[in-house]
Amino acid sequence: MKIAHLVLSNVYAGIEQHVNELILEQQKEYEVILICNTEIEDQFDSPNIISIKNFSRNSLLGLLKLFFLIKKMNLDLIHTHGSKTSSIINLIRKFINIKHVATAHGIKKKTTPFLKADKLIAVSSKIKSSIDRDSITINNWWSPKLPEKIKRSNDYVLAIGRLEKVKGFDLLIESWKNISSNLVIIGSGKEYSNLNNLIANLKLQSNVKIIDEMPQMQLIEYYKKASMLIISSRNEGGPRVALEALYLRIPVVSTDVGHMSEILPKELLAKPNDLMSLTTLLETFVNNPNYNQESIYQYVTEEFSLQSKAKQIDNVYKDLLVSK
């Protein structure tokens, strides 16, 4: 089987990490090519990368270049990630016969680009239900680079993600007024100044700190000192960091986003974008993190591995190619 993954982003983030790890697993069995934006080419580990200049979905020149590139590859299928790449391949497929698998990594207002793919994968049941067509739910996975075990202390509570409104870090900080534990937020983004101003206005500088994003292997050192991980997102495809924390046996509480309702019981979930709900959740569990999540750790370890999810994606490919 000859497969190409198409990613056209300007930054290497969660989707790109997902694709990178999936490709490395698939290359054990198939010929896999990555087509990506030149700006992020060096972030990927794949030995088989074709980089192109990013272009808008309405760029005729960009579409023509990608069309001729795909045409000479003689692919069995192309796998797109996100709405932009799916939209681009929908246009190209009007002139070339190629099977198309798309993955929806988040909830979008416009779902039209996903409707024309031969097969659609959604990374959570919430994303699946937001798109009016048949699709297959295949969740994200914890990183295969994580160590099997870590020795942990309980120095602080941890939150990780891009510093953007969607991640709800403003709500998390506001919820911290009556919590004595230290909070470390790791991430970079356009909300950095606003969040630091909020910390200062609430006089929380002594126990709430923001640290710049870092490579995953360096992040493990912060996991080792975390008593708990908090997901405060207003909306989320995964989130993957919750899987990583649970694999490392770090307790997690979360807003009800992405696949979290498939993993955590209701009492460990807050309503998204609801300050009172999040505050109640955190004040209940942060200072009393004795909820037994052992069965959750085991479930995530077994069911959310890269190998198990790659096999499910492989089955999607095979079902599609058998029907051609």
Side-chain angles (χ1 to χ4, degrees):
M1 192 187 304
K2 189 175 183 181
I3 307 156
H5 289 268
L6 179 62
V7 180
L8 290 176
S9 342
N10 292 322
V11 295
Y12 185 93
I15 292 175
E16 294 69 36
Q17 188 176 1
H18 171 109
V19 174
N20 187 40
E21 291 168 354
L22 178 58
I23 287 174
L24 292 176
E25 183 67 19
Q26 290 178 335
Q27 283 177 340
K28 297 174 183 178
E29 191 172 353
Y30 305 121
E31 183 179 355
V32 187
I33 301 163
L34 171 65
I35 305 171
C36 72
N37 181 9
T38 305
E39 290 182 23
I40 59 171
E41 175 187 7
D42 61 354
Q43 300 288 317
F44 291 92
D45 298 314
S46 172
N48 201 357
I49 300 176
I50 297 174
S51 64
I52 60 176
K53 289 185 177 180
N54 204 349
F55 62 93
S56 76
R57 63 192 75 190
N58 297 317
S59 168
L60 181 59
L61 180 60
L63 288 168
L64 281 171
K65 286 182 177 180
L66 185 58
F67 165 78
F68 286 115
L69 178 63
I70 291 172
K71 187 175 182 181
K72 68 181 181 182
M73 283 183 180
N74 194 27
L75 299 168
D76 290 298
L77 64 86
I78 189 160
H79 190 157
T80 60
H81 299 268
S83 59
K84 177 183 174 180
T85 55
S86 298
S87 179
I88 287 168
I89 293 303
N90 289 338
L91 291 170
I92 287 175
R93 288 181 73 207
K94 293 179 180 180
F95 307 100
I96 189 171
N97 184 22
I98 185 172
K99 295 294 184 180
H100 176 204
V101 175
T103 293
H105 291 268
I107 295 175
K108 301 289 185 181
K109 290 182 179 178
K110 293 184 179 180
T111 60
T112 307
F114 297 120
L115 303 182
K116 294 182 180 180
D118 294 309
K119 294 281 186 179
L120 176 64
I121 296 169
V123 301
S124 75
S125 58
K126 283 185 171 60
I127 295 172
K128 175 184 171 74
S129 64
S130 74
I131 304 173
D132 188 18
R133 63 154 291 174
D134 294 336
S135 60
I136 305 101
T137 301
I138 302 177
N139 301 98
N140 285 317
W141 49 82
W142 41 265
S143 169
K145 294 181 179 180
L146 291 174
E148 287 188 21
K149 291 182 180 180
I150 59 172
K151 290 184 178 180
R152 290 199 303 111
S153 57
N154 294 315
D155 295 4
Y156 44 70
V157 176
L158 191 60
I160 303 168
R162 302 185 317 276
L163 302 184
E164 296 180 8
K165 235 3 181 180
V166 70
K167 295 296 184 178
F169 291 131
D170 55 326
L171 299 176
L172 174 57
I173 292 165
E174 288 194 57
S175 299
W176 216 256
K177 295 174 187 175
N178 298 320
I179 296 176
S180 58
S181 301
N182 291 327
L183 171 65
V184 173
I185 299 171
I186 299 179
S188 300
K190 58 188 179 184
E191 287 295 305
Y192 179 82
S193 294
N194 290 337
L195 293 174
N196 271 304
N197 289 338
L198 180 59
I199 291 168
N201 291 338
L202 295 173
K203 296 180 170 54
L204 293 172
Q205 301 97 316
S206 61
N207 63 339
V208 178
K209 178 166 46 172
I210 298 176
I211 299 174
D212 285 345
E213 65 180 338
M214 62 191 69
Q216 188 179 58
M217 298 315 291
Q218 189 177 346
L219 188 60
I220 289 171
E221 297 304 313
Y222 284 85
Y223 277 130
K224 289 178 180 179
K225 297 179 181 179
S227 62
M228 176 181 284
L229 178 84
I230 295 173
I231 305 296
S232 57
S233 301
R234 291 178 165 89
N235 185 18
E236 187 75 63
R240 176 187 171 101
V241 290
L243 298 177
E244 294 182 347
L246 290 166
Y247 171 77
L248 294 170
R249 286 171 158 66
I250 299 168
V252 173
V253 297
S254 176
T255 48
D256 188 0
V257 292
H259 52 221
M260 296 313 299
S261 62
E262 301 165 41
I263 297 171
L264 298 180
K266 287 183 179 179
E267 57 264 33
L268 298 180
L269 297 171
K271 294 177 184 178
N273 199 28
D274 187 318
L275 177 60
M276 184 176 294
S277 180
L278 182 61
T279 300
T280 300
L281 177 74
L282 299 185
E283 290 182 357
T284 300
F285 287 102
V286 169
N287 290 332
N288 301 285
N290 296 318
Y291 186 92
N292 188 343
Q293 295 194 7
E294 189 59 39
S295 61
I296 300 172
Y297 303 152
Q298 192 64 32
Y299 171 65
V300 167
T301 298
E302 293 174 359
E303 299 297 328
F304 290 83
S305 69
L306 170 58
Q307 290 75 17
S308 67
K309 299 304 177 185
K311 183 176 281 188
Q312 292 176 31
I313 294 170
D314 185 41
N315 289 336
V316 172
Y317 293 171
K318 288 177 178 177
D319 287 346
L320 176 58
L321 294 176
V322 164
S323 66
K324 75 175 182 176

